[in-house]
Amino acid sequence: MLNTERLILRPWRDSDAASLYHYAKDERVGPIAGWPPHRSEAESLEIIQTIFSGEDIYAVALSTDDVAIGMIGLLKGKNSNFPLPETEAEVAYWIGVPFWGQGLIPEALRTIMQHSFQTLQLEALWCGYFSDNEQSFKAQAKCGFLHHHTEEKQFNQFMNDYRTEHISRITKEEWLQQQA
């Protein structure tokens, strides 16, 4: 578990299925992040028990009530959507619409970055965002990620479409310079 000023980043629980479904069924959330809206609480529970059960995959919960309102996680090495060595990871995240624009994802992302570079001793973190996801770009930029390259016509298996994906990165050295 990781804590920020306003958030708890903790492992997912089966009891989070209702909250996950509540936020993940919204068509404004999943499709811009590359996945379809959830269709049922049972589907959300299955995702908690499979995809969200991985190491370093966290429920983003407000510290005031511990209700899951989003997700942030690390996809290390071969588990990433990018070809990465085991010393690097992709950061994935999303948050429910009522919490957009409050700086919560940058807050969670900064904590994941600190955990990644200080505790896990990773060498670099990567993030991707699709062209129509300006919010994700802004979160990454606020945290010091720099544009690395753009992939045109990337096939997205979850949405069965092709998209332009912008890839950004921050190295441990760049992160340490920001902390100075």
Side-chain angles (χ1 to χ4, degrees), residues 114-131:
Q114 180 179 3
H115 175 66
S116 297
F117 294 132
Q118 290 184 336
T119 306
L120 302 177
Q121 295 297 310
L122 294 177
E123 295 174 5
L125 292 175
W126 298 78
C127 283
Y129 66 92
F130 297 114
S131 289

Side-chain angles (χ1 to χ4, degrees), residues 30-31 33-37 39 43 47 51 75 81 130 154-161 163:
W35 45 270
R39 296 178 304 258
E43 179 185 21
I47 287 170
I51 298 167
L75 306 170
N81 296 304
F130 297 114
Q154 284 286 95
F155 181 69
N156 179 310
Q157 64 181 358
F158 303 109
M159 297 297 288
N160 196 30
D161 62 10
R163 299 169 177 224

Side-chain angles (χ1 to χ4, degrees), residues 7 55 65 78 127 159:
L7 301 170
E55 184 180 0
D65 62 14
K78 66 184 178 314
C127 283
M159 297 297 288

Side-chain angles (χ1 to χ4, degrees), residues 10-12 51-59 71-75 92:
R10 59 161 174 79
W12 284 88
I51 298 167
F52 289 178
S53 67
E55 184 180 0
D56 291 309
I57 306 292
Y58 301 96
M71 182 280 301
I72 192 162
L74 296 170
L75 306 170

Side-chain angles (χ1 to χ4, degrees), residues 141-160:
K142 283 179 185 175
C143 294
F145 281 79
L146 300 172
H147 181 266
H148 188 269
H149 68 281
T150 298
E151 301 269 343
E152 302 284 340
K153 298 181 183 170
Q154 284 286 95
F155 181 69
N156 179 310
Q157 64 181 358
F158 303 109
M159 297 297 288
N160 196 30

Side-chain angles (χ1 to χ4, degrees), residues 163-180:
R163 299 169 177 224
T164 298
E165 185 173 19
H166 304 284
I167 314 298
S168 59
R169 177 186 78 166
I170 188 167
T171 64
K172 183 176 185 175
E173 291 75 26
E174 290 166 339
W175 179 79
L176 285 169
Q177 288 174 359
Q178 288 179 4
Q179 306 312 302

